[in-house]
Structure formats: C-alpha cells, structure tokens
Amino acid sequence: MGYPDIDRARDGQAALRRIIDTYAGPGTDLRALRRVVDLCREVQDAVEDDYCREKIRAIAEYSAELLSQAEHRARGALSGIDFLRSQIRAALELLQSRLYSLERTRRFGQQYAHAGFGAIHSTKR
C-alpha cells in the first residue's frame, strides 16, 4: 500500500534532482528555474511536514541562485556552481530520507493498529 502524498513528493524530488544534475551552467536558465519553483511548490503541497518544507525552501533558494545568475561566487576551493549543486543535492538527500521516515512511521503505526494495539491505547486512560 503506497501513500499518494509521499509518492508525489518523491516524484517531485526526483524531477528536481534531474534538473540540477543536467544544468550545464554557467548562465541563467529561466525555464529550469520556473520548473524548479513549480516542483518545489508541488512537493511542499504534497506533504504536510515542517522538516520537508525547510528542505524544500533551501532547495528553492539555492536553485534560484544557481539558475538565475550568469556568474556564481566561489566558496573556498569549490566553484560557485559546484557549491550550489552540493547544497541542493544535500537538501534533496535529506528530503528523500525524511520521506522514507514518514512512510516507515505510517506503516509502523498501521501495523500496530491492525494488530489491535490501537484499540488498547484508545481505551487506556
């Protein structure tokens, strides 16, 4: 049994990863930026979770910087593009991990409910 909201969020996360991985840079890519904004909104709307929202916000901000500027400021030994990509990929990984955790929590909760544990807790006071 799948969870449509988590599945939609995973689809959006995968699409965001593809956009970031295929960005050739340097230079602006407003079409990709518009798609990233739409995908971020879709993922955010799909899952009601503050942690997911925080990661989506980070993805949107770093993506906006990556895709809307012709030149990117270097950060230490990393070029600006590499730094932004690494930040976006890290946030995407954390989002993916959180979606997995949300799904496992739901499944675990359902296992207890189906086993009758939910009834025990609902009558216990």
Side-chain angles (χ1 to χ4, degrees), residues 7 48 68 116 122:
D7 291 339
E48 295 284 328
S68 68
S122 65

Side-chain angles (χ1 to χ4, degrees), residues 42-116:
E42 289 173 20
V43 172
Q44 194 169 8
D45 290 346
V47 179
E48 295 284 328
D49 183 73
D50 290 337
Y51 185 82
C52 288
R53 284 191 183 103
E54 178 185 323
K55 295 307 156 200
I56 287 296
R57 191 173 16 257
I59 292 164
E61 288 174 7
Y62 284 122
S63 296
E65 187 175 345
L66 177 68
L67 299 169
S68 68
Q69 298 179 7
E71 293 185 33
H72 303 90
R73 180 176 54 92
R75 270 64 167 221
L78 287 177
S79 72
I81 291 174
D82 289 338
F83 172 80
L84 293 169
R85 273 194 179 134
S86 71
Q87 295 300 308
I88 296 165
R89 286 178 180 144
L92 287 167
E93 287 293 324
L94 291 170
L95 175 62
Q96 182 178 8
S97 177
R98 179 62 174 186
L99 293 172
Y100 174 80
S101 295
L102 291 171
E103 181 179 35
R104 296 303 301 164
T105 300
R106 288 181 188 177
R107 287 188 195 281
F108 188 68
Q110 284 182 351
Q111 287 174 352
Y112 276 123
H114 290 306

